[in-house]
Structures are given as structure tokens and as C-alpha cells.
Amino acid sequence: MPDAPADVTVALDGAEGCIANARNEASRFLTRAQSEHGLPVSARTLDLAQLVVSELVTNALKYAPGPVLLQLGIADSALEIAVWDTDPVLPVARAADAGRVGQHGLEIVLAVVQGFEARREPVGKRITARIALFDDPLSALGP
């Protein structure tokens, strides 16, 4: 497998447009991984990365005071999206409820990623999600 691009870390302050900027940063990172490093990145991965970044950054900005850090990296043929914020409370996915308005972000993230970790840091917490860079046609067939 070709070399991966260097990790990228972006500080977000909650200013207008910062969630869109975070999505765009994920898109640029994956586009560079593909064009400059020859890594296979599916269109599905690009779409899911933007969705996951949007949901995780939105939650961090909504529930934690202070700055948010977005880190993007590639390890073991997967995009790793990490979001750090100042609130030490770990998120919990709520039970599915079609009548509930909002608060479905973590449910959505968990449904589309291949790996998820939430852990406390010395200050705040870090949420990490992993998305495969390319689609595995055999995985769609099931067991």
C-alpha cells in the first residue's frame, strides 16, 4: 500500500461556517491521499467521511464549551477521524425512536463506521471513528 499523507489537525472555534470547513478539510485530505499518495478512496468513503465529520464536530460544538480539534489520518487502509473537545462526558447512543426530533447523530455515525472509540483524555474526551478507504465488495454480501 502506498504511503499515507501526514495527519492533519484543525482547530475549530465554533464560528459560522466551521462545520462546513471541517467537512471540506476531510474532502481535501482524502483527495490528496488519492491524488498525491495513490491511495484508493471510494466515493462512498468520501461521502461518509463528510457525514461523520459533520456529526461529530456538530456534537462537540453543541455540548462542549471551548475549542474543538479535528484530526484526520490514515492507518491500516482506513480513514481515522478524531474529534477532541473539553467535555469529559462520553456520548451514549440513544435507543432508536422515529418520533424523536434531533439527537440522532451518534446513531448515524455508529451505523456507517467500521470502528468507534470514545475515551476520556486528561482534559475532555476524544471520539475516534474509522471508515474503510475503499469498498470491499465481499463485505456487502454478508456472511
Side-chain angles (χ1 to χ4, degrees):
M1 182 155 183
D3 289 335
D7 290 0
V8 169
T9 301
V10 180
L12 305 166
D13 60 4
E16 186 175 334
C18 81
I19 296 168
N21 290 341
R23 282 192 305 269
N24 291 337
E25 191 63 46
S27 178
R28 282 191 297 273
F29 180 79
L30 287 172
T31 299
R32 273 195 325 273
Q34 189 172 40
S35 65
E36 296 175 14
H37 297 272
L39 293 171
V41 178
S42 72
R44 180 177 187 273
T45 297
L46 184 58
D47 290 343
L48 290 179
Q50 292 175 354
L51 172 66
V52 170
V53 164
S54 184
E55 293 297 337
L56 294 180
V57 169
T58 297
N59 285 350
L61 292 170
K62 183 175 181 178
Y63 296 110
V68 169
L69 294 177
L70 167 66
Q71 185 173 28
L72 303 166
I74 294 178
D76 300 325
S77 300
L79 170 66
E80 289 192 350
I81 300 166
V83 175
W84 171 88
D85 67 49
T86 59
D87 186 357
V89 177
L90 298 179
V92 176
R94 298 177 65 178
D97 178 357
R100 183 174 71 237
V101 176
Q103 298 186 341
H104 294 280
L106 188 54
E107 291 173 59
I108 293 167
V109 168
L110 293 174
V112 301
V113 299
Q114 285 72 45
F116 181 86
E117 178 185 25
R119 65 178 179 168
R120 287 186 180 88
E121 296 280 317
V123 174
K125 69 178 168 296
R126 180 176 308 275
I127 308 298
T128 304
R130 292 176 52 86
I131 301 172
L133 287 178
F134 51 92
D135 302 328
D136 178 358
L138 296 178
S139 69
L141 298 176

